Tab-separated table of all heavy atoms in Angstrom:
chain	number	residue	atom	x	y	z
H	189	GLU	N	-11.606	9.633	-18.188
H	189	GLU	CA	-12.061	9.455	-19.568
H	189	GLU	C	-12.617	10.765	-20.087
H	189	GLU	O	-13.416	11.467	-19.393
H	189	GLU	CB	-13.095	8.403	-19.621
H	189	GLU	CG	-12.650	7.002	-19.272
H	189	GLU	CD	-13.740	5.954	-19.312
H	189	GLU	OE1	-14.900	6.332	-19.044
H	189	GLU	OE2	-13.451	4.781	-19.583
H	190	ASP	N	-12.223	11.115	-21.355
H	190	ASP	CA	-12.776	12.305	-21.945
H	190	ASP	C	-14.274	12.269	-22.037
H	190	ASP	O	-14.837	11.215	-22.283
H	190	ASP	CB	-12.233	12.478	-23.402
H	190	ASP	CG	-10.716	12.856	-23.423
H	190	ASP	OD1	-10.283	13.444	-22.446
H	190	ASP	OD2	-10.034	12.531	-24.419
H	191	GLN	N	-14.894	13.379	-21.730
H	191	GLN	CA	-16.330	13.567	-21.729
H	191	GLN	C	-17.051	12.800	-20.574
H	191	GLN	O	-18.223	12.991	-20.382
H	191	GLN	CB	-16.943	13.023	-23.057
H	191	GLN	CG	-16.295	13.627	-24.330
H	191	GLN	CD	-16.319	15.096	-24.331
H	191	GLN	OE1	-17.311	15.724	-23.984
H	191	GLN	NE2	-15.241	15.727	-24.818
H	192	LYS	N	-16.315	11.981	-19.864
H	192	LYS	CA	-16.947	11.240	-18.800
H	192	LYS	C	-16.416	11.597	-17.359
H	192	LYS	O	-17.001	11.369	-16.391
H	192	LYS	CB	-16.735	9.731	-18.991
H	192	LYS	CG	-17.492	9.213	-20.181
H	192	LYS	CD	-17.294	7.691	-20.309
H	192	LYS	CE	-18.052	7.121	-21.501
H	192	LYS	NZ	-17.932	5.624	-21.612
H	193	GLY	N	-15.234	12.192	-17.365
H	193	GLY	CA	-14.605	12.713	-16.138
H	193	GLY	C	-13.866	11.604	-15.332
H	193	GLY	O	-13.318	10.612	-15.944
H	194	PHE	N	-13.856	11.723	-14.051
H	194	PHE	CA	-13.063	10.861	-13.150
H	194	PHE	C	-13.909	9.766	-12.493
H	194	PHE	O	-15.070	10.060	-12.120
H	194	PHE	CB	-12.387	11.678	-12.044
H	194	PHE	CG	-11.464	12.727	-12.541
H	194	PHE	CD1	-11.804	14.042	-12.737
H	194	PHE	CD2	-10.120	12.380	-12.823
H	194	PHE	CE1	-10.941	14.991	-13.198
H	194	PHE	CE2	-9.167	13.350	-13.275
H	194	PHE	CZ	-9.619	14.657	-13.438
H	195	ARG	N	-13.334	8.600	-12.391
H	195	ARG	CA	-13.980	7.507	-11.673
H	195	ARG	C	-12.922	6.782	-10.795
H	195	ARG	O	-11.759	6.730	-11.231
H	195	ARG	CB	-14.636	6.500	-12.593
H	195	ARG	CG	-15.872	7.026	-13.260
H	195	ARG	CD	-16.571	5.871	-14.078
H	195	ARG	NE	-17.712	6.305	-14.743
H	195	ARG	CZ	-18.959	6.425	-14.164
H	195	ARG	NH1	-19.122	6.021	-12.951
H	195	ARG	NH2	-19.987	6.895	-14.878
H	196	VAL	N	-13.355	6.204	-9.706
H	196	VAL	CA	-12.423	5.328	-8.967
H	196	VAL	C	-12.150	4.112	-9.855
H	196	VAL	O	-12.992	3.559	-10.496
H	196	VAL	CB	-13.059	4.860	-7.645
H	196	VAL	CG1	-12.150	3.814	-6.947
H	196	VAL	CG2	-13.392	6.010	-6.763
H	197	ASN	N	-10.892	3.788	-9.953
H	197	ASN	CA	-10.462	2.688	-10.792
H	197	ASN	C	-11.175	1.388	-10.380
H	197	ASN	O	-11.231	1.078	-9.141
H	197	ASN	CB	-8.957	2.438	-10.726
H	197	ASN	CG	-8.296	2.665	-12.085
H	197	ASN	OD1	-8.923	2.654	-13.119
H	197	ASN	ND2	-7.034	2.847	-12.058
H	198	PRO	N	-11.718	0.601	-11.292
H	198	PRO	CA	-12.326	-0.679	-10.912
H	198	PRO	C	-11.287	-1.673	-10.468
H	198	PRO	O	-10.111	-1.458	-10.665
H	198	PRO	CB	-13.002	-1.093	-12.201
H	198	PRO	CG	-12.210	-0.466	-13.345
H	198	PRO	CD	-11.745	0.861	-12.758
H	199	VAL	N	-11.752	-2.761	-9.893
H	199	VAL	CA	-10.839	-3.853	-9.480
H	199	VAL	C	-11.159	-5.052	-10.366
H	199	VAL	O	-12.274	-5.162	-10.858
H	199	VAL	CB	-10.959	-4.193	-8.005
H	199	VAL	CG1	-10.509	-3.089	-7.112
H	199	VAL	CG2	-12.428	-4.620	-7.652
H	200	SER	N	-10.204	-5.955	-10.540
H	200	SER	CA	-10.363	-7.136	-11.312
H	200	SER	C	-9.368	-8.181	-10.891
H	200	SER	O	-8.316	-7.885	-10.387
H	200	SER	CB	-10.199	-6.788	-12.825
H	200	SER	OG	-8.870	-6.566	-13.132
H	201	LYS	N	-9.706	-9.459	-11.201
H	201	LYS	CA	-8.857	-10.550	-10.900
H	201	LYS	C	-7.575	-10.431	-11.692
H	201	LYS	O	-6.426	-10.661	-11.185
H	201	LYS	CB	-9.508	-11.844	-11.320
H	201	LYS	CG	-8.746	-13.118	-10.814
H	201	LYS	CD	-8.725	-13.259	-9.298
H	201	LYS	CE	-8.095	-14.547	-8.897
H	201	LYS	NZ	-7.985	-14.666	-7.439
H	202	ARG	N	-7.675	-9.974	-12.956
H	202	ARG	CA	-6.407	-9.828	-13.799
H	202	ARG	C	-5.512	-8.778	-13.244
H	202	ARG	O	-4.270	-8.996	-13.216
H	202	ARG	CB	-6.878	-9.496	-15.192
H	202	ARG	CG	-5.688	-9.325	-16.196
H	202	ARG	CD	-6.165	-9.085	-17.585
H	202	ARG	NE	-5.064	-8.920	-18.502
H	202	ARG	CZ	-5.163	-8.657	-19.834
H	202	ARG	NH1	-6.405	-8.572	-20.370
H	202	ARG	NH2	-4.075	-8.521	-20.586
H	203	ASP	N	-6.073	-7.672	-12.838
H	203	ASP	CA	-5.232	-6.575	-12.234
H	203	ASP	C	-4.591	-7.056	-11.008
H	203	ASP	O	-3.357	-6.813	-10.791
H	203	ASP	CB	-6.114	-5.351	-11.956
H	203	ASP	CG	-5.286	-4.176	-11.453
H	203	ASP	OD1	-4.326	-3.826	-12.151
H	203	ASP	OD2	-5.644	-3.665	-10.335
H	204	LEU	N	-5.277	-7.815	-10.163
H	204	LEU	CA	-4.703	-8.346	-8.994
H	204	LEU	C	-3.518	-9.240	-9.237
H	204	LEU	O	-2.472	-9.155	-8.594
H	204	LEU	CB	-5.798	-9.024	-8.104
H	204	LEU	CG	-5.321	-9.768	-6.872
H	204	LEU	CD1	-4.588	-8.826	-5.904
H	204	LEU	CD2	-6.419	-10.511	-6.210
H	205	GLU	N	-3.743	-10.135	-10.183
H	205	GLU	CA	-2.673	-11.107	-10.555
H	205	GLU	C	-1.410	-10.400	-11.076
H	205	GLU	O	-0.284	-10.785	-10.768
H	205	GLU	CB	-3.198	-12.085	-11.589
H	205	GLU	CG	-4.213	-13.009	-11.052
H	205	GLU	CD	-4.792	-13.954	-12.065
H	205	GLU	OE1	-4.535	-13.732	-13.270
H	205	GLU	OE2	-5.487	-14.948	-11.672
H	206	GLU	N	-1.618	-9.318	-11.826
H	206	GLU	CA	-0.488	-8.554	-12.332
H	206	GLU	C	0.277	-7.878	-11.159
H	206	GLU	O	1.496	-7.862	-11.133
H	206	GLU	CB	-0.933	-7.477	-13.329
H	206	GLU	CG	-1.374	-8.052	-14.652
H	206	GLU	CD	-1.835	-7.008	-15.621
H	206	GLU	OE1	-1.889	-5.789	-15.199
H	206	GLU	OE2	-2.137	-7.299	-16.780
H	207	LEU	N	-0.428	-7.341	-10.206
H	207	LEU	CA	0.164	-6.700	-9.102
H	207	LEU	C	0.951	-7.743	-8.207
H	207	LEU	O	2.035	-7.435	-7.807
H	207	LEU	CB	-0.916	-6.053	-8.198
H	207	LEU	CG	-1.593	-4.806	-8.766
H	207	LEU	CD1	-2.763	-4.315	-7.901
H	207	LEU	CD2	-0.583	-3.643	-8.996
H	208	VAL	N	0.396	-8.913	-8.084
H	208	VAL	CA	1.057	-9.989	-7.345
H	208	VAL	C	2.369	-10.363	-8.023
H	208	VAL	O	3.414	-10.430	-7.381
H	208	VAL	CB	0.181	-11.220	-7.210
H	208	VAL	CG1	0.928	-12.407	-6.686
H	208	VAL	CG2	-0.965	-10.951	-6.227
H	209	ASP	N	2.341	-10.539	-9.332
H	209	ASP	CA	3.539	-10.856	-10.132
H	209	ASP	C	4.588	-9.774	-9.981
H	209	ASP	O	5.784	-10.107	-9.792
H	209	ASP	CB	3.235	-11.105	-11.562
H	209	ASP	CG	2.437	-12.385	-11.823
H	209	ASP	OD1	2.407	-13.224	-10.918
H	209	ASP	OD2	1.778	-12.492	-12.859
H	210	LEU	N	4.203	-8.522	-10.091
H	210	LEU	CA	5.137	-7.399	-9.976
H	210	LEU	C	5.724	-7.353	-8.558
H	210	LEU	O	6.937	-7.091	-8.370
H	210	LEU	CB	4.522	-6.082	-10.395
H	210	LEU	CG	4.173	-5.966	-11.864
H	210	LEU	CD1	3.261	-4.785	-12.064
H	210	LEU	CD2	5.529	-5.745	-12.606
H	211	ARG	N	4.873	-7.568	-7.554
H	211	ARG	CA	5.382	-7.527	-6.163
H	211	ARG	C	6.424	-8.642	-5.941
H	211	ARG	O	7.463	-8.352	-5.284
H	211	ARG	CB	4.235	-7.738	-5.190
H	211	ARG	CG	3.625	-6.510	-4.640
H	211	ARG	CD	2.769	-6.781	-3.422
H	211	ARG	NE	3.620	-7.074	-2.268
H	211	ARG	CZ	3.208	-7.498	-1.064
H	211	ARG	NH1	1.896	-7.671	-0.955
H	211	ARG	NH2	4.016	-7.688	-0.135
H	212	VAL	N	6.167	-9.777	-6.417
H	212	VAL	CA	7.105	-10.920	-6.277
H	212	VAL	C	8.434	-10.553	-6.859
H	212	VAL	O	9.524	-10.674	-6.261
H	212	VAL	CB	6.553	-12.241	-6.856
H	212	VAL	CG1	7.670	-13.279	-6.968
H	212	VAL	CG2	5.432	-12.748	-6.045
H	213	MET	N	8.400	-10.041	-8.129
H	213	MET	CA	9.597	-9.708	-8.816
H	213	MET	C	10.416	-8.567	-8.068
H	213	MET	O	11.609	-8.726	-7.889
H	213	MET	CB	9.274	-9.176	-10.252
H	213	MET	CG	10.449	-8.769	-11.056
H	213	MET	SD	10.006	-8.288	-12.750
H	213	MET	CE	8.997	-6.848	-12.433
H	214	LEU	N	9.711	-7.509	-7.753
H	214	LEU	CA	10.408	-6.377	-7.104
H	214	LEU	C	10.765	-6.616	-5.644
H	214	LEU	O	11.897	-6.274	-5.230
H	214	LEU	CB	9.525	-5.093	-7.230
H	214	LEU	CG	9.337	-4.549	-8.687
H	214	LEU	CD1	8.207	-3.493	-8.632
H	214	LEU	CD2	10.572	-4.054	-9.268
Side-chain angles (χ1 to χ4, degrees):
E189 296 178 329
D190 289 335
Q191 309 303 320
K192 294 183 179 180
F194 298 95
R195 288 186 183 275
V196 176
N197 244 341
V199 295
S200 70
K201 188 68 174 178
R202 180 176 179 180
D203 183 53
L204 174 59
E205 289 176 351
E206 288 180 356
L207 291 173
V208 168
D209 288 342
L210 287 168
R211 266 197 73 187
V212 169
M213 179 177 66
L214 293 171

